[in-house]
Each structure stands twice: as C-alpha cells, then as structure tokens.
Amino acid sequence: MEPIRVAGVVGANLALDPELLPPNVGVSAVNLKPGDGTMRPWKAPLDVSTTSTAGRKTIYRFNADVSSDTNYWFQWSTIVHVVRAFIADDTTERTYYTGSGTPKVTNNIIGISGAPYPTAARELGVPAPLTAPILTETVAGTGTDENRYYLYTYLTDFNEESAPSPVSAVLTCKPGANFNITALASPPVGNYGINRIRIYRSIVGTSGQSEFFLIAEISVATSSTDNALDAQAYALETNGPSGLLGRVYLMPPADLKSLTGLWNGMMAGITGKSVRFCEPNKPYAWPAAYEVLCDDTPVALAKFKKNLVILTTGQPRVAYGSAPEAMDDEGGGINAACVSVQGVVSFDDGACWPTNRGLAYIGSGAPASVVTERLIDEKQWKALNPSTMVAAPYLGRYMAFYDSGGGVWKGLMLDPLDPSWIIFFDTGFSAVYYDKLQEALYGVTGTTIQKWDAGASLMTMSFKSKKFRLPLPENPGAAEVVATAYPVTFKLYADDALVHTRSVPSREPFTLPSGFEPNLLQIEVSAAGPVTAVAVAGDIDALKQV
C-alpha cells in the first residue's frame, strides 16, 4: 500500500464527507493549538484570581494600562458592556457601562476602593431641573424696554452639564436692570455628583436670533442669586447645538444596553427597538433625535472600522456616518438572528455572531453570511447550544465557550475568514474577557478567574484524521509517530472499527496486527505534547518513503 502520512494539521471539518477532506484536516480535533502545523496541545488554564460569588456573567479588567492578572477585576451577575472614556487627559480611567441596572460611570477614585469591584459607580448622565426660575426685579434699568428669559442647568464635578430647566416667564425690563433669581430647584436625590448650578439669560444676537448666555455659576447650596453679572461669552449648548429641536442633552434611556464605543467620540446603545447615539465626546448626553429605528428588535451591537453592526431577532443592519445626526443604515442582506449577546465578537475588518444555523460574519466588502455552513452542519451546531455561547477574539480567531449540558462548559475556535477547520476544547468558561494590552484571554470557572494557555502543565490533545481510501483492500503492516515527547496514544480505525490501540514510547516504527484488510483507514493520536507527524504503511521499510 502507498504510505499514509498525517502532518501539517490545522483542525477538523464536520460537514464534508470524511473521504473528501484534505490530509491535514480531520474529523475531530480537541485541545489542538493552531499555528505551526504540529498537533500540539495548549497549556492548561492558570488560576489568577477569584470572583466574590459564583454565577458571574461578566468580568472586565480595570487598570487597563498596567499589565496585571489580578488588578482589578470588575464583575457582574448580568450581561454588562463596558466602554472606557474617550478623554485625552483623563487620569482617573473614567469607565462607562450598561447592563447593571441603569447606565453607570465609575473611575479609579470610587471604583476600586474595596472589593468586590467596582466598589461604587454613579448614574450616567445629569438630570435636568424640573422647575423654572422666578425673577424679581431689584434694580431698575434705563432706556428702551427689552424682553428677557432665564433658565438654569446642573453641573457635576466631572463638568458634565444637564439639559436646561423650563424657561422662566417673559420679563420686560430696561437695559441694566438687575433681578433676584429664586426657585432654583435642588438637584434630585441620586448619585450624580451635581455640585453647581449655571444660570443663563437670553440675549438677541447680531443675527436677530435669541440665544442663552451664561451669567452665573453658583453652588447647589445657594437657593437664589442676584443677576448682577454681564452675560459671558459661553452660550448654552445642552439644549442642542444651535438650539436644534430634539438635540437636547438628555440622560441615557434607563434601559440602555449593549454600550459600544464608536469613532469620532461617539457611543451607541440599544433601547427598545432602536439604537441611540450620544453627543460626540459627551457620553452623558443622549439626544432623542440621535437614533436608528429597526424593523426587527435589536439585541446586540458590534463594530468594525467605521461600521456599526446592529444584530437583531431577524436581519442585521449596518449603520455608518461621521456624526450621530448623519447616520445612515442598510440591511445586512440575510436573515441571521443573533441568539447570544455574549457570543458577538468584533474584529478589525468584520464581526461574528452565533445564529441557530451557524456562525454568521459580516465584514469589509463581505455581505452577511453563515460562514460555517461547509464546516459544521445545522444539527451539529445546535448541539453546541449556541444560545449559551460566550466569545472573544483570540489570536485573530473566533473563540467561544458553551454550556454542553448540566453546567459543563466546553469550547471551540475557528477562523471566520478561513472557515475550513474548527477546533474543540474539553474545558471552557462561563464568562470571558480579552485583554488587549496583554493579548491574553481570561475566563470564569465557578468562582475562579483563569488565564488561558498560561499554566505549567499541558492539556491532552487529540486528532482523528480523514478517511483514507486504499486502492485495494490491504492490511497495513507498520506505523510511526514523530513527536517531541512520549508516550503518544495511537489508534487505528479500519472501515470505521477500532482495530488497534497502542501507547507509543518513541519514534521507533512499530508493527500493526494482521487479520483485517480494510478499504478505509483512519488514524487518531492523543498526547500531552506536540506531535509532528504520524504515518502508516504496508511495512517498516515503506515508512522510509515518508
């Protein structure tokens, strides 16, 4: 018989006929690390930290500019999306998140003072005053009568400003008149960090349009003030640039979820059946006019380049634009409902998400499609329980973990740009986090946070080859296994039946038993070390050819 050699292995393919696979693709690949063509195992996960309780669904490593396996692990029992602030001179690592009640913001002052983390957080946004100011004239002016209006805003110690209060009643007075301003409502109860009030008055500009200009900034403890200042150059912005209707700096919707950082200082999130955008570089301001409405209910968001992928209960959509008021969107061209929010992964050139049919992908120049259709069939994919998948990008590939039943987590890895192979893992995580600084993957097992591929020991790798059809039925007589370390478990299958198992102690060729003349042969190896190649031939001399 012609010698059979298995080397340069990449992974498995479950959808194609096992006889039609290339020699370096098998029917099973477990704990196999891709990259150099050898059948090498991953290192075992390394215990690095713990969670405060079991059942944590989200972890995030704060202190992101410093390499560490331990400081500081934010953790939640819900699905939370975290975005770091786009602030050039920020020294507090201001961090925003949704999914833990109402939208929140924290930093290294309030967020890491004590475990579990985050220790504390504020409500995201600044509520607007609900009552109009009252004006009482104290000093009369001179000249021609003019009409004035007043309003006020709240300001936080983050210098975030609320939308304005209702406008005061019109005041007819003469230039130079002063007023006592009262009825300034105290800030609402809640953790907002409001410490100041800004007061504005209307002034007619050279264009003939009336705008509000700042006249005073006072402490929230002050219940009234005297209008004795001239209007400053600072014009009110929080009622919308140029006062455009609908662009008032509202707080984010209370149900905002899937917070996602975009380009040009924008963030996006899901509320109801729409996607809302914040004011650029102002993640506390979410004008109602900045939204994309969806036919199907949005469930998750992903980003690549300057494209926002809106994943729904039906067809995905892609939104794009340079500013929130100028966002366009179009359909993704396929019905591919996202079945797991935590299974969504963004890459530089595209995005992946699990559907009930397989893994979907959309990218630069690539319409949405289910890329795993020729890799794993729909029945096999559904057996992986895709609605439970939690995923992250790792080594440029899609890495996901799933509940295989009874809380036993397993995993898989594939390349969405080259979906010709898949690798499975016999261990997994219930929550994952990819650390960009360290290019490291972390996951949760029970109450333990582990670092992937970082332990001292190696996993046990196994690979089962394609089916090799012999020209004529023939009894193979010898085999060899080339490995870095031994022993290696070798198995030989003839016409789908296991006919031989051996613990191989070295590279020395070995003979195979007689008594079978198959049409089809398959080879399986498993080891806790790299295996370079395995070969089967008619006799030991024939092995020299490979």
PDB file of all heavy atoms in Angstrom, residues 263 277 292 306 308 310 317-330:
ATOM      1  N   TRP A 263     -16.490  55.661  16.670  1.00  0.00           N
ATOM      2  CA  TRP A 263     -15.476  56.566  16.157  1.00  0.00           C
ATOM      3  C   TRP A 263     -15.918  58.010  16.398  1.00  0.00           C
ATOM      4  O   TRP A 263     -17.070  58.275  16.716  1.00  0.00           O
ATOM      5  CB  TRP A 263     -15.255  56.297  14.661  1.00  0.00           C
ATOM      6  CG  TRP A 263     -16.550  56.265  13.892  1.00  0.00           C
ATOM      7  CD1 TRP A 263     -17.147  57.294  13.221  1.00  0.00           C
ATOM      8  CD2 TRP A 263     -17.435  55.139  13.748  1.00  0.00           C
ATOM      9  NE1 TRP A 263     -18.341  56.890  12.669  1.00  0.00           N
ATOM     10  CE2 TRP A 263     -18.535  55.571  12.981  1.00  0.00           C
ATOM     11  CE3 TRP A 263     -17.405  53.814  14.194  1.00  0.00           C
ATOM     12  CZ2 TRP A 263     -19.591  54.729  12.640  1.00  0.00           C
ATOM     13  CZ3 TRP A 263     -18.464  52.978  13.866  1.00  0.00           C
ATOM     14  CH2 TRP A 263     -19.534  53.435  13.099  1.00  0.00           C
ATOM     15  N   PHE A 277     -27.567  57.094  19.942  1.00  0.00           N
ATOM     16  CA  PHE A 277     -26.190  57.571  19.929  1.00  0.00           C
ATOM     17  C   PHE A 277     -26.048  58.754  20.885  1.00  0.00           C
ATOM     18  O   PHE A 277     -26.967  59.558  21.037  1.00  0.00           O
ATOM     19  CB  PHE A 277     -25.769  58.007  18.523  1.00  0.00           C
ATOM     20  CG  PHE A 277     -25.886  56.910  17.499  1.00  0.00           C
ATOM     21  CD1 PHE A 277     -27.078  56.712  16.802  1.00  0.00           C
ATOM     22  CD2 PHE A 277     -24.815  56.070  17.241  1.00  0.00           C
ATOM     23  CE1 PHE A 277     -27.195  55.690  15.871  1.00  0.00           C
ATOM     24  CE2 PHE A 277     -24.916  55.057  16.306  1.00  0.00           C
ATOM     25  CZ  PHE A 277     -26.117  54.861  15.619  1.00  0.00           C
ATOM     26  N   VAL A 292     -31.443  55.182  15.388  1.00  0.00           N
ATOM     27  CA  VAL A 292     -31.786  54.386  14.213  1.00  0.00           C
ATOM     28  C   VAL A 292     -32.881  53.424  14.636  1.00  0.00           C
ATOM     29  O   VAL A 292     -32.696  52.636  15.572  1.00  0.00           O
ATOM     30  CB  VAL A 292     -30.569  53.605  13.684  1.00  0.00           C
ATOM     31  CG1 VAL A 292     -30.998  52.616  12.604  1.00  0.00           C
ATOM     32  CG2 VAL A 292     -29.510  54.559  13.135  1.00  0.00           C
ATOM     33  N   LYS A 306     -15.445  51.847  10.525  1.00  0.00           N
ATOM     34  CA  LYS A 306     -16.464  52.842  10.862  1.00  0.00           C
ATOM     35  C   LYS A 306     -17.842  52.333  10.492  1.00  0.00           C
ATOM     36  O   LYS A 306     -18.654  53.018   9.860  1.00  0.00           O
ATOM     37  CB  LYS A 306     -16.154  54.177  10.192  1.00  0.00           C
ATOM     38  CG  LYS A 306     -14.909  54.851  10.750  1.00  0.00           C
ATOM     39  CD  LYS A 306     -14.727  56.260  10.237  1.00  0.00           C
ATOM     40  CE  LYS A 306     -13.521  56.921  10.899  1.00  0.00           C
ATOM     41  NZ  LYS A 306     -13.326  58.319  10.440  1.00  0.00           N
ATOM     42  N   LEU A 308     -21.181  50.192  12.314  1.00  0.00           N
ATOM     43  CA  LEU A 308     -21.845  49.639  13.481  1.00  0.00           C
ATOM     44  C   LEU A 308     -22.811  48.561  13.013  1.00  0.00           C
ATOM     45  O   LEU A 308     -23.747  48.843  12.256  1.00  0.00           O
ATOM     46  CB  LEU A 308     -22.606  50.721  14.244  1.00  0.00           C
ATOM     47  CG  LEU A 308     -23.424  50.230  15.444  1.00  0.00           C
ATOM     48  CD1 LEU A 308     -22.510  49.688  16.537  1.00  0.00           C
ATOM     49  CD2 LEU A 308     -24.319  51.334  15.991  1.00  0.00           C
ATOM     50  N   ILE A 310     -25.760  46.180  13.712  1.00  0.00           N
ATOM     51  CA  ILE A 310     -26.900  46.057  14.618  1.00  0.00           C
ATOM     52  C   ILE A 310     -27.474  44.658  14.443  1.00  0.00           C
ATOM     53  O   ILE A 310     -28.052  44.337  13.396  1.00  0.00           O
ATOM     54  CB  ILE A 310     -27.974  47.125  14.318  1.00  0.00           C
ATOM     55  CG1 ILE A 310     -27.351  48.524  14.369  1.00  0.00           C
ATOM     56  CG2 ILE A 310     -29.139  47.008  15.296  1.00  0.00           C
ATOM     57  CD1 ILE A 310     -28.279  49.621  13.837  1.00  0.00           C
ATOM     58  N   ARG A 317     -28.474  44.891  10.557  1.00  0.00           N
ATOM     59  CA  ARG A 317     -28.350  46.149   9.838  1.00  0.00           C
ATOM     60  C   ARG A 317     -26.965  46.724  10.093  1.00  0.00           C
ATOM     61  O   ARG A 317     -26.327  46.401  11.091  1.00  0.00           O
ATOM     62  CB  ARG A 317     -29.426  47.161  10.250  1.00  0.00           C
ATOM     63  CG  ARG A 317     -30.846  46.667  10.052  1.00  0.00           C
ATOM     64  CD  ARG A 317     -31.849  47.811  10.095  1.00  0.00           C
ATOM     65  NE  ARG A 317     -31.703  48.716   8.972  1.00  0.00           N
ATOM     66  CZ  ARG A 317     -32.186  48.478   7.754  1.00  0.00           C
ATOM     67  NH1 ARG A 317     -32.830  47.356   7.490  1.00  0.00           N
ATOM     68  NH2 ARG A 317     -32.014  49.354   6.782  1.00  0.00           N
ATOM     69  N   VAL A 318     -26.505  47.566   9.178  1.00  0.00           N
ATOM     70  CA  VAL A 318     -25.202  48.213   9.328  1.00  0.00           C
ATOM     71  C   VAL A 318     -25.416  49.712   9.270  1.00  0.00           C
ATOM     72  O   VAL A 318     -25.984  50.238   8.298  1.00  0.00           O
ATOM     73  CB  VAL A 318     -24.215  47.780   8.234  1.00  0.00           C
ATOM     74  CG1 VAL A 318     -22.874  48.484   8.425  1.00  0.00           C
ATOM     75  CG2 VAL A 318     -24.021  46.272   8.257  1.00  0.00           C
ATOM     76  N   ALA A 319     -24.988  50.421  10.323  1.00  0.00           N
ATOM     77  CA  ALA A 319     -25.101  51.879  10.387  1.00  0.00           C
ATOM     78  C   ALA A 319     -23.713  52.490  10.217  1.00  0.00           C
ATOM     79  O   ALA A 319     -22.719  51.940  10.685  1.00  0.00           O
ATOM     80  CB  ALA A 319     -25.713  52.315  11.717  1.00  0.00           C
ATOM     81  N   TYR A 320     -23.672  53.635   9.550  1.00  0.00           N
ATOM     82  CA  TYR A 320     -22.391  54.293   9.297  1.00  0.00           C
ATOM     83  C   TYR A 320     -22.629  55.787   9.141  1.00  0.00           C
ATOM     84  O   TYR A 320     -23.715  56.232   8.787  1.00  0.00           O
ATOM     85  CB  TYR A 320     -21.727  53.724   8.042  1.00  0.00           C
ATOM     86  CG  TYR A 320     -22.663  53.615   6.854  1.00  0.00           C
ATOM     87  CD1 TYR A 320     -22.825  54.672   5.963  1.00  0.00           C
ATOM     88  CD2 TYR A 320     -23.411  52.462   6.647  1.00  0.00           C
ATOM     89  CE1 TYR A 320     -23.706  54.582   4.903  1.00  0.00           C
ATOM     90  CE2 TYR A 320     -24.295  52.366   5.590  1.00  0.00           C
ATOM     91  CZ  TYR A 320     -24.433  53.421   4.719  1.00  0.00           C
ATOM     92  OH  TYR A 320     -25.319  53.343   3.667  1.00  0.00           O
ATOM     93  N   GLY A 321     -21.604  56.568   9.407  1.00  0.00           N
ATOM     94  CA  GLY A 321     -21.699  58.016   9.313  1.00  0.00           C
ATOM     95  C   GLY A 321     -20.654  58.655  10.204  1.00  0.00           C
ATOM     96  O   GLY A 321     -20.123  58.023  11.119  1.00  0.00           O
ATOM     97  N   SER A 322     -20.362  59.935   9.950  1.00  0.00           N
ATOM     98  CA  SER A 322     -19.311  60.619  10.691  1.00  0.00           C
ATOM     99  C   SER A 322     -19.822  61.322  11.937  1.00  0.00           C
ATOM    100  O   SER A 322     -19.032  61.740  12.788  1.00  0.00           O
ATOM    101  CB  SER A 322     -18.623  61.645   9.785  1.00  0.00           C
ATOM    102  OG  SER A 322     -19.568  62.606   9.319  1.00  0.00           O
ATOM    103  N   ALA A 323     -21.139  61.479  12.070  1.00  0.00           N
ATOM    104  CA  ALA A 323     -21.724  62.180  13.210  1.00  0.00           C
ATOM    105  C   ALA A 323     -23.072  61.551  13.538  1.00  0.00           C
ATOM    106  O   ALA A 323     -23.724  60.980  12.658  1.00  0.00           O
ATOM    107  CB  ALA A 323     -21.883  63.670  12.889  1.00  0.00           C
ATOM    108  N   PRO A 324     -23.525  61.650  14.793  1.00  0.00           N
ATOM    109  CA  PRO A 324     -24.765  60.969  15.169  1.00  0.00           C
ATOM    110  C   PRO A 324     -25.997  61.478  14.441  1.00  0.00           C
ATOM    111  O   PRO A 324     -26.960  60.734  14.262  1.00  0.00           O
ATOM    112  CB  PRO A 324     -24.861  61.216  16.676  1.00  0.00           C
ATOM    113  CG  PRO A 324     -23.990  62.393  16.937  1.00  0.00           C
ATOM    114  CD  PRO A 324     -22.896  62.313  15.942  1.00  0.00           C
ATOM    115  N   GLU A 325     -25.982  62.744  14.032  1.00  0.00           N
ATOM    116  CA  GLU A 325     -27.141  63.276  13.305  1.00  0.00           C
ATOM    117  C   GLU A 325     -27.108  62.913  11.832  1.00  0.00           C
ATOM    118  O   GLU A 325     -28.046  63.237  11.084  1.00  0.00           O
ATOM    119  CB  GLU A 325     -27.223  64.796  13.467  1.00  0.00           C
ATOM    120  CG  GLU A 325     -26.114  65.575  12.770  1.00  0.00           C
ATOM    121  CD  GLU A 325     -24.907  65.799  13.642  1.00  0.00           C
ATOM    122  OE1 GLU A 325     -24.699  65.004  14.573  1.00  0.00           O
ATOM    123  OE2 GLU A 325     -24.167  66.764  13.396  1.00  0.00           O
ATOM    124  N   ALA A 326     -26.041  62.235  11.393  1.00  0.00           N
ATOM    125  CA  ALA A 326     -25.898  61.925   9.969  1.00  0.00           C
ATOM    126  C   ALA A 326     -25.652  60.442   9.749  1.00  0.00           C
ATOM    127  O   ALA A 326     -24.931  60.051   8.832  1.00  0.00           O
ATOM    128  CB  ALA A 326     -24.749  62.739   9.379  1.00  0.00           C
ATOM    129  N   MET A 327     -26.230  59.587  10.585  1.00  0.00           N
ATOM    130  CA  MET A 327     -26.035  58.147  10.445  1.00  0.00           C
ATOM    131  C   MET A 327     -27.007  57.574   9.424  1.00  0.00           C
ATOM    132  O   MET A 327     -28.212  57.822   9.489  1.00  0.00           O
ATOM    133  CB  MET A 327     -26.226  57.450  11.789  1.00  0.00           C
ATOM    134  CG  MET A 327     -25.237  57.885  12.859  1.00  0.00           C
ATOM    135  SD  MET A 327     -23.526  57.485  12.495  1.00  0.00           S
ATOM    136  CE  MET A 327     -23.540  55.717  12.722  1.00  0.00           C
ATOM    137  N   ASP A 328     -26.481  56.814   8.475  1.00  0.00           N
ATOM    138  CA  ASP A 328     -27.288  56.049   7.541  1.00  0.00           C
ATOM    139  C   ASP A 328     -27.215  54.582   7.939  1.00  0.00           C
ATOM    140  O   ASP A 328     -26.292  54.148   8.637  1.00  0.00           O
ATOM    141  CB  ASP A 328     -26.786  56.220   6.113  1.00  0.00           C
ATOM    142  CG  ASP A 328     -27.018  57.631   5.588  1.00  0.00           C
ATOM    143  OD1 ASP A 328     -28.109  58.179   5.861  1.00  0.00           O
ATOM    144  OD2 ASP A 328     -26.121  58.181   4.938  1.00  0.00           O
ATOM    145  N   ASP A 329     -28.169  53.789   7.464  1.00  0.00           N
ATOM    146  CA  ASP A 329     -28.123  52.362   7.742  1.00  0.00           C
ATOM    147  C   ASP A 329     -28.731  51.588   6.600  1.00  0.00           C
ATOM    148  O   ASP A 329     -29.528  52.118   5.822  1.00  0.00           O
ATOM    149  CB  ASP A 329     -28.833  52.031   9.058  1.00  0.00           C
ATOM    150  CG  ASP A 329     -30.328  52.256   8.997  1.00  0.00           C
ATOM    151  OD1 ASP A 329     -30.737  53.432   8.855  1.00  0.00           O
ATOM    152  OD2 ASP A 329     -31.079  51.278   9.066  1.00  0.00           O
ATOM    153  N   GLU A 330     -28.338  50.337   6.472  1.00  0.00           N
ATOM    154  CA  GLU A 330     -28.854  49.470   5.428  1.00  0.00           C
ATOM    155  C   GLU A 330     -28.914  48.045   5.945  1.00  0.00           C
ATOM    156  O   GLU A 330     -28.240  47.686   6.917  1.00  0.00           O
ATOM    157  CB  GLU A 330     -27.969  49.533   4.184  1.00  0.00           C
ATOM    158  CG  GLU A 330     -26.528  49.164   4.428  1.00  0.00           C
ATOM    159  CD  GLU A 330     -25.647  49.406   3.223  1.00  0.00           C
ATOM    160  OE1 GLU A 330     -25.925  50.338   2.448  1.00  0.00           O
ATOM    161  OE2 GLU A 330     -24.673  48.656   3.071  1.00  0.00           O
TER     162      GLU A 330
END
